[in-house]
Amino acid sequence: MTTTQHEYVPGLAGVPAAKSAISNLDGQQGILKYRGYDIRELAEKSNFSETAWLVIEGNLPTKAELDDFDYDLRHRRQITFRIRDILKSLPATGHPMEALQAGVAAFGMFYPKNIRDPRLNYESGVRLVAKLPTIVAANHRLRNGDDPLTPRDDLDHAANFLYMLTGEEPDPFAAKIFDVCLILHAEHTINASTFSAMVTASTLADPYTVISSAIGTLSGPLHGGANERVLEMLKEIGSVENARPYIEEKIRNKEVIMGMGHREYKTMDPRAIILKGLCQQLFGESGSTPLYDIAEEVEKVMAEKVGAKGVWPNVDFYSGIVYDKMGIPVDLFTPVFAVARVAGWVAHWREQIADNRILRPTQIYVGEADRRYVPMEERG
Amino acid sequence: MTTTQHEYVPGLAGVPAAKSAISNLDGQQGILKYRGYDIRELAEKSNFSETAWLVIEGNLPTKAELDDFDYDLRHRRQITFRIRDILKSLPATGHPMEALQAGVAAFGMFYPKNIRDPRLNYESGVRLVAKLPTIVAANHRLRNGDDPLTPRDDLDHAANFLYMLTGEEPDPFAAKIFDVCLILHAEHTINASTFSAMVTASTLADPYTVISSAIGTLSGPLHGGANERVLEMLKEIGSVENARPYIEEKIRNKEVIMGMGHREYKTMDPRAIILKGLCQQLFGESGSTPLYDIAEEVEKVMAEKVGAKGVWPNVDFYSGIVYDKMGIPVDLFTPVFAVARVAGWVAHWREQIADNRILRPTQIYVGEADRRYVPMEERG
């Protein structure tokens, strides 16, 4: 029991839980940086495997480092038949995030772990980044009664994932856009799932366990899943003509409009700006879709009505439209988020154990002070 | 971004993260209460299923409530063949806590969930309390190449678990002591695993996911596993004669002695007092063991040397000896902790969602401020 009295802040909002050197954001300016690098620059010039290295290791890799890391990632994509058997045993009706949480906890059992050994920690990180897409894709194919596909080491991280999902080698431009989506979701300071990874990590649990906790936390509808709901909203709107009355009514009734605004950004979410540009290219090149046309109209009406108040489309507004266009089913949007964010989770796990202190806050007790046990015969 | 500046406290030690009405402890007096009831009274007069109800629902059950709850617990112990298949696919060499984390995440996929529905939440809690022991026991038997045993609904919670593990109906006195161990571990305010459950719960994730996170966090060596290490220490001491020199040397070298002292209790851990009494009965009745004799000597030497400083044996000191005597393998000690604590986790999950605010603290950024991307050719 500590004698210092700290203030109770619901949700620990604004309470610092760690010193961290992984990412930071400036909500006023709309800037997000990984390890000091602006994500606008990373989205333009880097790729997911280089960005994953940067996020985890702290610096841009040398050529030799990137070659090794990329090789390691490509060659650790396979999952054993036992993990496939586990996925086969899961009901097709369950949510793929639960399958992913179970799969990651299970596959940790197959590997040596000793968090005092930097080489093993590197290997664990590689395995997690490399195999998460394979679990997501294998589970998706199995629930549809299809054989899972063997990962292809001649494809990069993004292209291989799309291949494992659909069985078709993706169009290079679509794969490139998907790669940018992975970069944009690789890290975002301490949110609930990252914090959950840190809490689990702080007991010195193994990295697979840590990531499994983070996946569980991401699965909650208040955290992951916002882009799923954007897509549902666009489908509900149904036509370009219906966009204006739909949005106006929502604003009048002070109802939440999905994919708009962000707790942290007071200007447009920088990830949304990048994705919006990519959307324009993607849909410009391969033709628009009814959903994209509706999204453009929603954006226009929103800019007109509440843009001046700083309410802009966020990253979730565009990512769902992109994933939908690529044929990714809606209930895989959150697993795709995990496929990207695993880089950040691994980085926070490594940062936590490098200077560990168990994360164990306290409570304010508001319950009964003193009650005496009453024998069953005497209870009312 | 909040503008209020809160102090950074490493590990959030002493920082209140919630208002809670589930349990409280007085470290000066050595008192632990669940819902206002002293655990000394519960250990003497209650049983695990009644205590689980109390912890989860907030009050002692009426006869009708307890009859229903106990019936529900007994009849939801079975796990499906698919969960057994999953456990069969896991390598026998992995830690049973990983199997438990995977199993719980997986079995959530089989059930309806809607955390706005109190009846479903009750059902989820019952399933978790009822099925965790079955997963632990089934996984243990499978890793030894034995068939898992069908749970027996004619046995109470504690006796059925020991039966599923060993295939033998336990001695009633041993089962009673094991039941008390479950009562004593059912809840203990906000520690790391409970906090982890709350973080995951705060995103409105489903209860199976929440408990899976908590299990992951409990698996860390800084959290669960202390009683494993007590047993290792007693084995290392090896003989009653060696206890005094061993302890004296540890004290001289200021080394940690396992199972001694507790962060919260400044006097003897009340759970340890109860377990010590039960140990004396258990070993008095069925004969001592070399390990118990060593433990008694360690306790005597410690009382003499540092008892005055408030360093006393804690609950872990005795629980390992009890579990060992009952034939529970050392690497199941932490899973057994989970089998008891699931009651507390379920209670904290329910409390969290009843008045939810996402648990999302912030960070102090200490990394690079501004770096520019360097093309690969120009990197050093």
Side-chain angles (χ1 to χ4, degrees), chain A residues 40 62 87 104 145 154 163 165 182 208 230 263 266 288 311 322 378:
Chain A
R40 289 174 293 197
T62 63
L87 298 175
V104 171
D154 61 322
Y163 162 75
L165 214 54
L182 295 181
Y208 306 91
V230 170
R263 193 177 62 95
K266 301 305 163 212
S288 191
V311 179
V322 171
E378 297 167 25

Side-chain angles (χ1 to χ4, degrees), chain A residues 167-210:
Chain A
E168 282 169 36
E169 209 173 304
D171 165 68
F173 183 61
K176 170 68 197 154
I177 291 185
F178 187 66
D179 190 75
V180 174
C181 290
L182 295 181
I183 292 175
L184 297 179
H185 287 88
E187 164 60 10
H188 202 262
T189 74
I190 299 182
N191 58 16
S193 61
T194 299
F195 184 51
S196 161
M198 291 161 59
V199 173
T200 301
S202 80
T203 69
L204 305 183
D206 79 72
Y208 306 91
T209 297
V210 168

Side-chain angles (χ1 to χ4, degrees), chain A residues 196 198-203 205 209 213 217 358-361, chain B residues 97 185-201 209-220 222-225 263 334 337-338 340-346 348-349 359:
Chain A
S196 161
M198 291 161 59
V199 173
T200 301
S202 80
T203 69
T209 297
S213 285
T217 305
I358 194 166
L359 277 159
R360 186 171 42 191
Chain B
M97 281 301 277
H185 287 88
E187 163 62 9
H188 201 262
T189 74
I190 299 182
N191 57 15
S193 61
T194 299
F195 184 51
S196 163
M198 291 161 58
V199 173
T200 301
T209 297
V210 168
I211 303 307
S212 184
S213 285
I215 291 167
T217 305
L218 181 63
S219 77
L222 290 191
H223 189 352
R263 194 177 62 94
T334 311
F337 189 159
R341 184 57 54 86
V342 65
W345 292 332
V346 167
H348 283 276
W349 159 61
L359 276 160

